[in-house]
Amino acid sequence: MTAVLLTGHGGFEKLEIRDDVAVPVPGPDEVLIKVAAAGINNTDINTRIGWYSKGVTGATSDGGADGYETTNDDDASWSGVALSFPRIQGADCCGRIVAVGKGVSPDRIGERVLVRNMLRSYVGYRPWECWTFGSECDGAFAQYAKAPAPETYKVDCDWSDAELASMPCAWSTAEGMIHRAQVGKGEHVVITGASGGVGSAAIQLAKRRGARVTAIAGGNKAKQLRALGADQVVPRGDPLSDHVAPQSVDVVLDVVAGSGFPELLQALKRGGRYAVAGAIAGPIVELDVRTLYLKDLTFFGCTFQEDEVFENLVSYIERGEIRPNVAGTWPLEQIVEAQKEFLSKNTGGKLVLTIPQ
């Protein structure tokens, strides 16, 4: 089959397109999926460049093309455990089941499915543990992928394959943050990186719960974000206090971090909640601990997801409560061009690879 192999941590040269890769064989309780489309996410690039290594302190974009000289391969995965190479990346998988392993009903063959990107079955459903599809196991940047049957979900909707493939990683990350922070009706929520996959998903998901949303993104994205439901858009780089009163925000959903972190805490009310699932502007921030404890703030680091997060997401899709936000598609063999566009941050919404059939 055709697949993109990640051969090590580094720049684009570590992505090798091959057409002689063996088709995976589903084991017990697994299914084989003919992949139709696979979304691009920060985690794919972070893993390729080794950004998760503690030796890296810069923004994702700093090493997006060439990687980092300070990466330590021993801790360069999101889990802190060294990856084995080659690896087929791709956390987002939309396709159809074409074969099943022992213990899986053959009636599932033909289902159009999404794979939960945070896999729990491989670690025995232990609390706070999971594998990422395309990191600890091979993922969707290939014509075929295998996945655990219980974590491969049939989805009935009229969306295109590319639209469905835009959902798993970004939308489950956003829903996971909102779930952990228990966003409620009428609350004021600030969302950083709001034009990206996670941010634009968080706008819809927060509005679905009745929240009032302030989105932070490039000024040229304001019209698009308002169309997704944002009540207010703050141009990236503007002082947040010029647009949002101090101590007026109930929840911050952050995927940016970096130098703007202190402003987010100043905007939070006493007893406010801060949920974070990314640090594209840099992982090292300035924290005045007095702000944390004197305002009785609660921090949520959001990676692990309870089962209901992805299950709820599938139900929202099937009930038509959310809509996809696909900004562009590329064929699999143009993965480098697609990742360059992703890193440019010029396009709002998700970028998706289509897989040759």
Side-chain angles (χ1 to χ4, degrees):
M1 67 175 181
T2 300
V4 179
L5 300 183
L6 179 67
T7 60
H9 296 296
F12 293 126
E13 77 283 354
K14 297 297 185 180
L15 296 173
E16 184 177 340
I17 301 170
R18 298 274 295 274
D19 60 8
D20 60 350
V21 179
V23 174
V25 177
D29 299 318
E30 291 182 330
V31 296
L32 180 67
I33 301 163
K34 188 174 185 180
V35 182
I40 291 177
N41 297 283
N42 272 306
T43 191
D44 304 315
I45 295 172
N46 291 344
T47 296
R48 170 173 60 79
I49 64 180
W51 180 84
Y52 294 112
S53 172
K54 292 297 191 292
V56 176
T57 59
T60 299
S61 58
D62 293 344
D66 302 314
Y68 294 93
E69 292 183 358
T70 55
T71 293
N72 182 343
D73 287 351
D74 290 340
D75 72 343
S77 75
W78 72 269
S79 65
V81 177
L83 289 186
S84 58
F85 298 105
R87 170 67 70 222
I88 299 173
Q89 293 187 280
D92 288 339
C93 180
C94 171
R96 291 188 180 274
I97 295 176
V98 293
V100 298
K102 184 178 180 181
V104 182
S105 171
D107 292 343
R108 296 205 62 182
I109 293 174
E111 290 180 357
R112 189 162 75 137
V113 295
L114 290 178
V115 177
R116 180 162 68 179
N117 52 295
M118 305 302 289
L119 300 172
R120 300 190 62 202
S121 59
Y122 289 139
V123 293
Y125 288 87
R126 292 188 294 271
W128 306 109
E129 292 188 43
C130 53
W131 284 9
T132 294
F133 194 60
S135 178
E136 285 64 50
C137 62
D138 286 340
F141 291 165
Q143 287 181 300
Y144 294 90
K146 68 176 183 177
E151 299 179 281
T152 300
Y153 291 81
K154 179 183 178 182
V155 184
D156 290 316
C157 69
D158 60 1
W159 294 9
S160 69
D161 292 330
E163 288 173 331
L164 266 184
S166 73
M167 306 302 288
C169 186
W171 284 75
S172 70
T173 298
E175 179 70 4
M177 297 167 76
I178 289 169
H179 176 80
R180 291 283 300 284
Q182 291 295 292
V183 172
K185 184 176 181 179
E187 291 194 308
H188 185 188
V189 178
V190 166
I191 299 170
T192 67
S195 63
V198 176
S200 60
I203 292 172
Q204 289 194 51
L205 292 168
K207 292 298 294 183
R208 180 190 166 277
R209 296 191 181 213
R212 178 165 61 92
V213 170
T214 294
I216 303 175
N220 62 333
K221 310 288 178 55
K223 183 178 180 180
Q224 174 189 358
L225 298 185
R226 289 195 180 96
L228 292 176
D231 299 285
Q232 178 183 14
V233 180
V234 175
R236 184 176 61 244
D238 276 16
L240 184 59
S241 58
D242 287 355
H243 303 269
V244 175
Q247 302 198 68
S248 67
V249 174
D250 297 286
V251 179
V252 168
L253 305 177
D254 189 18
V255 295
V256 174
S259 61
F261 174 80
E263 284 191 304
L264 300 173
L265 301 195
Q266 292 300 329
L268 282 169
K269 296 177 179 177
R270 295 184 182 277
R273 291 102 73 198
Y274 169 86
V276 60
I280 59 175
I284 308 303
V285 299
E286 180 180 304
L287 170 63
D288 186 332
V289 175
R290 292 168 295 188
T291 302
L292 172 59
Y293 77 80
L294 291 175
K295 292 179 69 173
D296 287 291
L297 302 180
T298 301
F299 281 16
F300 298 96
C302 302
T303 294
F304 174 83
Q305 298 167 9
E306 298 288 352
D307 295 350
E308 63 192 280
V309 169
F310 202 85
E311 293 165 0
N312 286 344
L313 183 59
V314 171
S315 73
Y316 304 159
I317 295 170
E318 293 188 329
R319 293 198 300 265
E321 296 178 356
I322 55 178
R323 63 187 190 276
N325 183 30
V326 176
T329 62
W330 280 261
L332 180 65
E333 61 268 23
Q334 293 183 16
I335 185 172
V336 171
E337 289 76 9
Q339 287 196 0
K340 286 179 179 177
E341 177 64 22
F342 183 96
L343 287 163
S344 77
K345 304 303 178 186
N346 290 328
T347 306
K350 282 290 299 243
L351 305 182
V352 178
L353 299 173
T354 56
I355 313 301
Q357 300 298 301

